[in-house]
């Protein structure tokens, strides 16, 4: 298994480790519920150094990004971040990602750990405009410091005024005595905070500084288990569960990152435009359990008469709501919030209600 700059630190702290995307990663430390509530109410630190980072540079950088991503990167100015996806040629999604605009001819793409090789091959094979591509995934470390007390903790370590960095924007500056650290007001938890990017050689220095600064606020390391429950409470998609090569961005409720603007001829645009005009036959929805039960990935979803209408893509017992919540694809006519549907839990028909995420207000 691959390691991150913090793998030995996780093991020393007693984390429950497991393989994820080829990496030896911490799943939990003190328990998923405790870690989840720590992030909701205080501050927690996630090792996300396994994520992939590609640089796109040169006079054709923007042209390349406009061709391979669904969102309109032309609106980005230096210091801004955009959520987007790589559409494939058959209506699905290669991956979802973030685009960081450094300069007019310099961008960073942040992709999912499990898809680094797949995404890199996709970018290389679709680079018909001569953009300069560089895979820096092994040369960048990343921590996500999340929670309502995150900014208070991080501000102790940098002269950069973090309160002046809006959501989905970033600055590059000194952090914990380390120069050229990316300080990004982004995250996957819905609890606020920053993601910081740095060279692996500075990783442990940054880790120690963050935990020392956060000690008065009860800062804790957080595993991937709580990362998943936090993102699910917000209704954020997870690649491989809620979106994949067979799900269109329009079916997944990602029409807001699929921009059919003039001059942007991205992969499979014509088919997606046609799908938008015709309307999708299935939609990704959020649902809350009415009956007691925990939705699990792959469970069938039915109408009240027992006809299968889709399946659960993500589900859990909500740590903050104490009820079962989930995401899943259902037929378009049953996707309206307030609709009663059923979860087939090993033959038991349990009632649920379609709702619009987030589940955690």
């Amino acid at each position: 298994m691959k390691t991150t700059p913090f793998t030995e630190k996780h093991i020393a702290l007693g984390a429950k480790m497991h393989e994820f995307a080829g990496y030896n990663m911490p799943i939990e430390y003190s328990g998923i519920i405790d870690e989840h509530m720590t992030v909701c109410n205080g501050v927690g630190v996630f090792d996300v150094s396994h994520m992939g980072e590609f640089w796109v540079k040169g006079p054709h950088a923007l042209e390349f990004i406009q061709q391979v991503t669904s969102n309109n990167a032309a609106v980005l100015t230096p210091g801004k971040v955009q959520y987007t996806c790589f559409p494939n040629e058959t209506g699905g999604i290669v991956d979802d990602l973030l685009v960081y605009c450094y300069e007019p001819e310099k961008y960073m793409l942040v992709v999912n750990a499990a898809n680094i090789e797949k995404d890199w091959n996709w970018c290389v094979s679709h680079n018909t405009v001569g953009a300069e591509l560089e895979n820096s995934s092994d040369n960048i470390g990343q921590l996500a410091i999340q929670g309502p007390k995150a900014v208070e903790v991080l501000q102790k370590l940098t002269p950069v005024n973090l309160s002046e960095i809006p959501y989905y924007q970033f600055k590059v500056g000194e952090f914990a005595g380390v120069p050229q650290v990316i300080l990004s007001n982004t995250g996957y938890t819905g609890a606020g905070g920053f993601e910081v990017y740095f060279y692996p050689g500075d990783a442990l220095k940054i880790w120690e500084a963050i935990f020392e600064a956060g000690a008065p606020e009860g800062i804790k390391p957080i595993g991937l288990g709580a990362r998943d429950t936090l993102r699910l409470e917000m209704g954020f998609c997870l690649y491989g569960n809620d979106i994949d090569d067979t799900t269109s961005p329009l079916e997944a409720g990602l029409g807001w990152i699929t921009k059919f603007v003039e001059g942007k001829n991205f992969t499979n645009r014509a088919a997606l435009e046609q799908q938008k005009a015709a309307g999708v036959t299935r939609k990704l929805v959020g649902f809350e359990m009415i009956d007691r039960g925990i939705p699990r990935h792959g469970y069938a979803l039915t109408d009240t008469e027992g006809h299968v209408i889709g399946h659960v893509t993500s589900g859990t017992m909500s740590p903050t709501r104490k009820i079962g919540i989930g995401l899943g694809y259902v037929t378009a006519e049953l996707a309206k919030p307030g609709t009663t549907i059923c979860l087939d839990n090993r033959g038991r028909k349990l009632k649920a209600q379609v709702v619009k995420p987030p589940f955690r207000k």
Side-chain angles (χ1 to χ4, degrees):
M1 284 188 288
K2 295 181 180 180
T3 60
T4 77
F6 306 106
T7 301
E8 291 185 7
K9 179 69 70 174
H10 302 315
I11 294 170
L13 291 170
K16 183 183 292 183
M17 307 292 290
H18 199 272
E19 184 274 336
F20 179 81
Y23 286 81
N24 190 17
M25 297 296 292
I27 304 302
E28 60 180 281
Y29 293 86
S30 58
I32 291 174
I33 294 177
D34 178 70
E35 293 169 33
H36 182 111
M37 300 311 296
T38 293
V39 175
C40 286
N41 300 320
V43 56
V45 179
F46 302 82
D47 176 11
V48 282
S49 301
H50 59 319
M51 300 289 282
E53 294 89 10
F54 307 155
W55 290 105
V56 183
K57 304 175 186 177
H60 301 291
L62 178 60
E63 184 181 1
F64 167 76
I65 292 170
Q66 288 289 73
Q67 284 189 0
V68 297
T69 68
S70 62
N71 210 335
N72 183 18
V75 302
L76 290 175
T77 54
K80 291 192 175 182
V81 187
Q82 184 180 77
Y83 177 60
T84 186
C85 75
F86 295 132
N88 67 20
E89 285 143 350
T90 56
I93 299 172
V94 177
D95 201 6
D96 61 337
L97 67 148
L98 296 180
V99 177
Y100 283 71
C101 179
Y102 253 68
E103 301 165 7
E105 295 186 3
K106 184 179 180 182
Y107 298 81
M108 181 174 72
L109 311 184
V110 181
V111 304
N112 285 300
N115 292 336
I116 293 173
E117 182 178 1
K118 170 190 176 186
D119 291 352
W120 177 250
N121 291 339
W122 181 265
C123 287
V124 170
S125 65
H126 286 74
N127 182 17
T128 60
V129 297
E132 300 170 33
L133 302 181
E134 178 186 342
N135 186 351
S136 291
S137 302
D138 292 335
N139 199 37
I140 296 178
Q142 185 188 353
L143 291 174
I145 302 89
Q146 299 282 292
K149 296 181 180 178
V151 173
E152 178 184 348
V153 169
L154 298 178
Q155 192 61 73
K156 301 175 186 179
L157 301 173
T158 180
V160 177
N161 190 337
L162 299 178
S163 63
E164 292 182 352
I165 304 177
Y167 191 46
Y168 266 67
Q169 293 193 30
F170 72 98
K171 287 187 177 180
V172 179
E174 182 182 319
F175 181 78
V178 177
Q180 297 298 106
V181 174
I182 300 171
L183 304 167
S184 174
N185 186 353
T186 49
Y188 196 46
T189 66
F194 277 72
E195 295 176 308
V196 296
Y197 299 80
F198 41 82
Y199 290 113
D202 297 315
L204 293 180
K205 179 180 180 181
I206 287 175
W207 175 281
E208 296 296 344
I210 290 171
F211 277 88
E212 183 178 346
E217 283 75 34
I219 196 168
K220 292 182 180 179
I222 312 295
L224 295 182
R227 180 174 164 85
D228 191 49
T229 56
L230 285 157
R231 71 90 193 168
L232 180 50
E233 282 193 339
M234 292 305 296
F236 296 155
C237 289
L238 174 65
Y239 193 88
N241 281 43
D242 313 300
I243 51 177
D244 59 32
D245 289 294
T246 70
T247 59
S248 101
L250 302 180
E251 292 173 334
L254 298 178
W256 62 279
I257 66 165
T258 309
K259 301 294 176 61
F260 303 109
V261 296
E262 185 177 352
K264 179 177 169 62
N265 297 312
F266 61 87
T267 306
N268 208 43
R269 169 173 173 159
L272 289 171
E273 275 190 291
Q274 187 176 3
Q275 186 182 63
K276 181 179 180 180
V280 296
T281 58
R282 63 172 183 167
K283 291 183 179 181
L284 183 67
V285 300
F287 63 90
E288 297 177 349
M289 297 304 301
I290 297 172
D291 293 335
R292 286 188 59 84
I294 304 176
R296 300 295 187 194
H297 176 77
Y299 281 12
L301 295 171
T302 74
D303 61 19
T304 53
E305 296 178 350
H307 302 115
V308 175
I309 58 169
H311 66 281
V312 178
T313 55
S314 292
T316 193
M317 176 64 73
S318 165
T320 58
R321 299 282 305 284
K322 309 300 183 188
I323 59 171
I325 60 171
L327 298 175
Y329 285 91
V330 301
T331 52
E333 60 269 21
L334 294 176
K336 186 177 179 180
T339 303
T340 299
I341 60 175
C342 292
L343 173 76
D344 186 343
N345 186 346
R346 300 173 185 174
R348 296 166 58 220
K349 192 167 72 173
L350 305 177
K351 285 186 179 180
Q353 185 178 59
V354 175
V355 298
K356 185 178 181 180
F359 302 99
R360 167 171 32 105
K361 308 302 180 186

